[in-house]
Amino acid sequence: MVLAITPSPLPQILCKPNNSMNQHTHLLCCLNQCTDMLQLKQIHAQALRSTLPNHPDTLFLYSRILHFSALNDLNYAYRLFDGIHNPNSFTWNTLIRACARSSDSKEQAFMLYKRMLEQATVLPDKHTFPFVLKACAYLFALHEGKQAHAQMLKLGFQSDVYVNNSLIHFYASCGCLESAQNVFEKMSERSVVSWNAMIDALVQFGEFESALKHFVQLQNFSEPDGYTMQSVLNACAGLCALSLGMWVHAYILRKFDDNVAKDVLVNNCLVDMYCKCGSLDIALQVFERMDRRDVTSWNSMILGFAMHGKAALAFEYFDLMVRTWKLIPNSITFVGVLSACNHRCMVNEGQKYFEMMVSEYNIEPQLEHYGCLVDILARAGLIDEALNLVSSMPMKPDAVIWRSLLDSCCKKNASVELSEEMARQVLESKGGDCSGVYVLLSRVYASASRWNDVGLLRKLMTDRGVTKEPGCSLIEIDGVTHEFFAGDTSHARTKDIYQFLEVIEERLDSVGHTPDYSQAPMVDELNDGKQQNLRVHSERLAIALGLLSSKPGMPIRIFKNLQVCSDCHKVAKLISKIFHVEIIMRDRVRFHHFKDGFCSCMDYW
């Protein structure tokens, strides 16, 4: 059988040349109308037949042909490039840029740059370095990027704002915040892109307060743009600063036109910020009012529902996303729905969504997905099933997964031997040498009345210089953030706080509250010491200040670095009922909404 192949029709101007044009101009006009590679190859063929290789206009024509092919067929662009005599910097930059933008050819960008230097027929210019540095940033190629930086200094581009912007992004992407800051501080001229790159780098490294200070400084030199506001909102989310985040939201509505105020990326950051700051209702309002939503928009909302324990809503919005709006979920979407299952102990649902991810959407499970499913099984008491899943994973489990199993072993009274094995796995994993492991294992030994092992574990912590991470809670009142540690006496209202703690204790006693010592710190052995310690946990101090200072009817929002202990969780429920107040608490794991003596987690966390 003979197949007839119909090529794409040539641009009309190629079929009807204008006598007033020379051949180079004529072909350039054809290029401007070119729409696909078949047309491009026909134009290229005519250029080979009708132009002189060494003519100056021919090199420009071939540069334009290379530019088009680099955007559409990188392999063809390489063959075309190799046939160009004495390529100029524009030609080199065109191919380097195409490689830097390609998802699977970024390493070729630096190799082309190296080849450019070796041939020495033309030097890199200020347009070369941003493309090379972009590729190095994507590949985390610190050594190669530093070489490009040195060459840039040698050629005298240290004052070029565009090159320096790329350097800031490169160093931040490679984990070198100090180097990024050095580049920024030495810049004689900065654009808004410079400030954005530095603010975004600070946010990536968790330097949220510093990022906000740079935002304030930026306003003295330039006008922020939509990219600035995305980073600023992320900083507010990182600080759990709801009042500041609401101010930024108002600033966006007041200062920017609809192109920014209705931008999908800006609104995605708003949804994420409100979810992380404990205001799920406002997050949902922003989401519902968005003119356009992408997959990230839905992911932010689903993750928000999950962290607030709203599993039914997470599933509902997942269905809306895929069935009504016909969007294809990605790996982050399934992290959201699996997290929702985890926070509600929905084993069957978790297994269903995991299977759906693999079979229906062909998404290869990542460590995060396995971690969610392992945690679902382990926290439901299915330790053996969780261990079987870990053994079948195609990648090595990390410290988070082993820590999750150890935590479940403690809560489900698993054997001491199994708990010890889980602790050993945590400590041997990268980033696993944390004080929490020793605390959990100490509780296992204490539950088994193995007090000698508790003592040996304390000595081991002392010998290794391991100290328990102190509990820290933040509460925001009238836009001011107050920080408390366990037993803190540094606050200006310490006397009032501790006096009010006595009032709280009396009210708790009156309703029959008895302290739960099961998660008290291992250093307290006597009940009176444990009780005294529980009374001054950081969240108790924050709640006391909130009750003293918050306006009636306003919820108390608290953000804690560790998981809330069982006694503080019970006390927060009672306080919400006794004092008729809503307490919204975010701990290391999730949000808890305490109201009328109940918690949104249904006592499962």
Side-chain angles (χ1 to χ4, degrees):
M1 180 183 293
V2 178
L3 298 178
I5 301 175
T6 305
S8 299
L10 286 168
Q12 195 67 23
I13 191 169
L14 189 58
C15 303
K16 300 178 180 179
N18 189 328
N19 291 332
S20 64
M21 301 180 184
N22 63 35
Q23 190 64 15
H24 294 99
T25 306
H26 170 60
L27 292 174
L28 285 171
C29 290
C30 294
L31 273 173
N32 291 335
Q33 299 180 44
C34 186
T35 59
D36 58 40
M37 283 301 298
L38 285 175
Q39 291 181 357
L40 186 282
K41 289 176 182 178
Q42 294 174 67
I43 295 170
H44 184 199
Q46 185 152 338
L48 288 170
R49 290 195 303 268
S50 59
T51 60
L52 298 173
N54 296 322
H55 193 284
D57 290 343
T58 301
L59 180 58
F60 179 73
L61 172 64
Y62 274 77
S63 296
R64 297 299 301 167
I65 294 174
L66 177 68
H67 176 73
F68 185 94
S69 60
L71 296 175
N72 297 277
D73 188 338
L74 197 52
N75 290 329
Y76 190 85
Y78 262 107
R79 296 197 298 271
L80 179 61
F81 178 82
D82 290 335
I84 297 176
H85 300 287
N86 299 320
N88 58 19
S89 61
F90 175 83
T91 310
W92 283 98
N93 291 344
T94 297
L95 196 55
I96 291 172
R97 176 176 60 182
C99 290
R101 289 178 173 175
S102 171
S103 59
D104 54 2
S105 299
K106 293 185 184 295
E107 65 278 0
Q108 293 301 319
F110 189 82
M111 299 308 295
L112 278 169
Y113 164 72
K114 183 179 178 182
R115 179 176 157 192
M116 181 183 187
L117 293 177
E118 289 171 347
Q119 293 190 7
T121 55
V122 60
L123 290 173
D125 58 26
K126 67 178 183 179
H127 301 292
T128 311
F129 292 104
F131 305 143
V132 174
L133 290 168
K134 178 181 179 180
C136 291
Y138 181 87
L139 297 169
F140 308 111
L142 180 61
H143 179 69
E144 290 79 1
K146 284 184 173 180
Q147 292 180 54
H149 187 182
Q151 185 69 20
M152 177 268 289
L153 295 173
K154 182 179 178 181
L155 295 176
F157 294 118
Q158 61 267 27
S159 298
D160 187 87
V161 64
Y162 302 105
V163 174
N164 281 309
N165 293 346
S166 299
L167 277 170
I168 294 170
H169 172 70
F170 158 70
Y171 279 120
S173 298
C174 292
C176 301
L177 180 61
E178 186 176 349
S179 298
Q181 289 176 310
N182 288 337
V183 173
F184 180 79
E185 295 298 333
K186 291 177 181 178
M187 291 177 70
S188 57
E189 177 189 358
R190 298 178 187 135
S191 66
V192 67
V193 177
S194 315
W195 288 93
N196 288 349
M198 194 65 247
I199 292 170
D200 185 60
L202 290 165
V203 171
Q204 287 179 38
F205 281 82
E207 300 289 339
F208 304 121
E209 292 184 5
S210 183
L212 294 174
K213 288 177 182 177
H214 277 69
F215 170 62
V216 173
Q217 294 172 14
L218 160 63
Q219 295 174 74
N220 295 325
F221 300 97
S222 182
E223 287 292 328
D225 60 15
Y227 295 104
T228 318
M229 305 319 298
Q230 292 175 45
S231 296
V232 171
L233 286 168
N234 290 335
C236 294
L239 289 171
C240 304
L242 179 61
S243 296
L244 184 58
M246 295 179 74
W247 178 89
V248 173
H249 190 179
Y251 179 92
I252 292 170
L253 296 174
R254 185 175 69 252
K255 288 283 188 178
F256 294 97
D257 59 20
D258 282 353
N259 289 331
V260 173
K262 294 186 177 181
D263 180 76
V264 65
L265 298 178
V266 172
N267 279 276
N268 289 347
C269 290
L270 279 169
V271 171
D272 181 66
M273 182 273 295
Y274 280 121
C275 286
K276 290 179 178 177
C277 289
S279 187
L280 191 61
D281 291 343
I282 301 180
L284 189 55
Q285 288 177 23
V286 173
F287 178 83
E288 295 294 351
R289 292 174 182 175
M290 290 175 68
D291 293 335
R292 186 172 70 87
R293 306 184 190 112
D294 59 11
V295 173
T296 302
S297 314
W298 290 90
N299 288 350
S300 297
M301 203 65 248
I302 291 169
L303 285 163
F305 287 133
M307 75 172 75
H308 285 267
K310 305 287 186 181
L313 283 171
F315 303 150
E316 178 185 335
Y317 274 66
F318 175 83
D319 288 339
L320 281 172
M321 171 187 174
V322 298
R323 301 186 193 282
T324 304
W325 294 92
K326 307 300 181 184
L327 291 174
I328 299 175
N330 59 22
S331 62
I332 298 175
T333 316
F334 282 98
V335 170
V337 291
L338 288 171
S339 297
C341 297
N342 194 11
H343 292 316
R344 273 283 187 254
C345 193
M346 295 179 168
V347 177
N348 293 335
E349 289 81 354
Q351 292 172 327
K352 181 192 76 172
Y353 281 110
F354 192 91
E355 176 63 25
M356 180 191 298
M357 174 180 69
V358 176
S359 60
E360 292 188 29
Y361 294 100
N362 298 315
I363 297 174
E364 184 176 349
Q366 302 299 311
L367 196 59
E368 294 84 357
H369 303 109
Y370 281 110
C372 285
L373 191 54
V374 167
D375 205 30
I376 292 171
L377 294 169
R379 292 178 66 204
L382 304 173
I383 306 293
D384 290 339
E385 288 85 342
L387 288 170
N388 289 336
L389 179 61
V390 170
S391 65
S392 68
M393 287 166 48
M395 71 282 289
K396 185 178 180 180
D398 62 359
V400 175
I401 288 179
W402 292 119
R403 167 67 188 262
S404 170
L405 285 165
L406 174 59
D407 190 38
S408 297
C409 286
C410 295
K411 291 179 178 177
K412 302 301 178 182
N413 296 318
S415 69
V416 174
E417 291 75 16
L418 181 58
S419 299
E420 287 176 329
E421 175 60 21
M422 296 300 101
R424 185 182 67 80
Q425 293 287 356
V426 175
L427 295 174
E428 290 180 357
S429 300
K430 185 177 180 180
D433 191 13
C434 58
S435 62
V437 177
Y438 295 95
V439 174
L440 288 172
L441 192 55
S442 174
R443 289 176 186 161
V444 172
Y445 289 144
S447 298
S449 298
R450 290 172 52 170
W451 302 108
N452 287 338
D453 288 326
V454 173
L456 289 173
L457 199 60
R458 293 180 192 170
K459 184 178 184 302
L460 183 62
M461 290 180 67
T462 303
D463 293 342
R464 293 185 176 181
V466 177
T467 57
K468 182 180 180 295
E469 182 181 1
C472 176
S473 295
L474 304 177
I475 181 171
E476 187 180 27
I477 299 173
D478 296 330
V480 178
T481 300
H482 303 263
E483 182 181 60
F484 291 97
F485 291 90
D488 204 332
T489 58
S490 62
H491 195 273
R493 298 192 64 184
T494 291
K495 184 177 180 180
D496 295 337
I497 290 169
Y498 277 81
Q499 286 179 347
F500 198 71
L501 281 175
E502 295 292 339
V503 174
I504 292 174
E505 286 297 318
E506 291 174 3
R507 300 289 295 274
L508 291 173
D509 290 341
S510 70
V511 295
H513 169 64
T514 55
D516 180 353
Y517 301 135
S518 63
Q519 295 179 14
M522 65 179 186
V523 294
D524 295 316
E525 293 182 357
L526 300 176
N527 280 358
D528 56 348
K530 288 184 176 181
Q531 183 172 2
Q532 181 63 27
N533 187 285
L534 288 172
R535 289 179 63 246
V536 293
H537 275 188
S538 61
E539 58 266 53
R540 303 271 190 104
L541 301 176
I543 289 173
L545 180 64
L547 291 171
L548 285 169
S549 307
S550 296
K551 298 174 183 176
M554 294 296 292
I556 296 173
R557 286 185 170 85
I558 295 170
F559 302 92
K560 182 176 170 62
N561 65 329
L562 302 177
Q563 188 173 7
V564 60
C565 75
S566 56
D567 188 67
C568 287
H569 189 270
K570 186 189 298 184
V571 164
K573 288 196 297 181
L574 291 172
I575 289 175
S576 71
K577 183 176 182 179
I578 294 169
F579 292 91
H580 307 289
V581 63
E582 181 180 5
I583 301 171
I584 301 172
M585 183 187 300
R586 190 182 89 179
D587 67 6
R588 183 178 58 84
V589 177
R590 58 172 297 164
F591 272 95
H592 300 263
H593 293 253
F594 301 98
K595 190 174 182 180
D596 298 327
F598 296 95
C599 179
S600 59
C601 75
M602 307 296 288
D603 296 339
Y604 181 85
W605 79 99

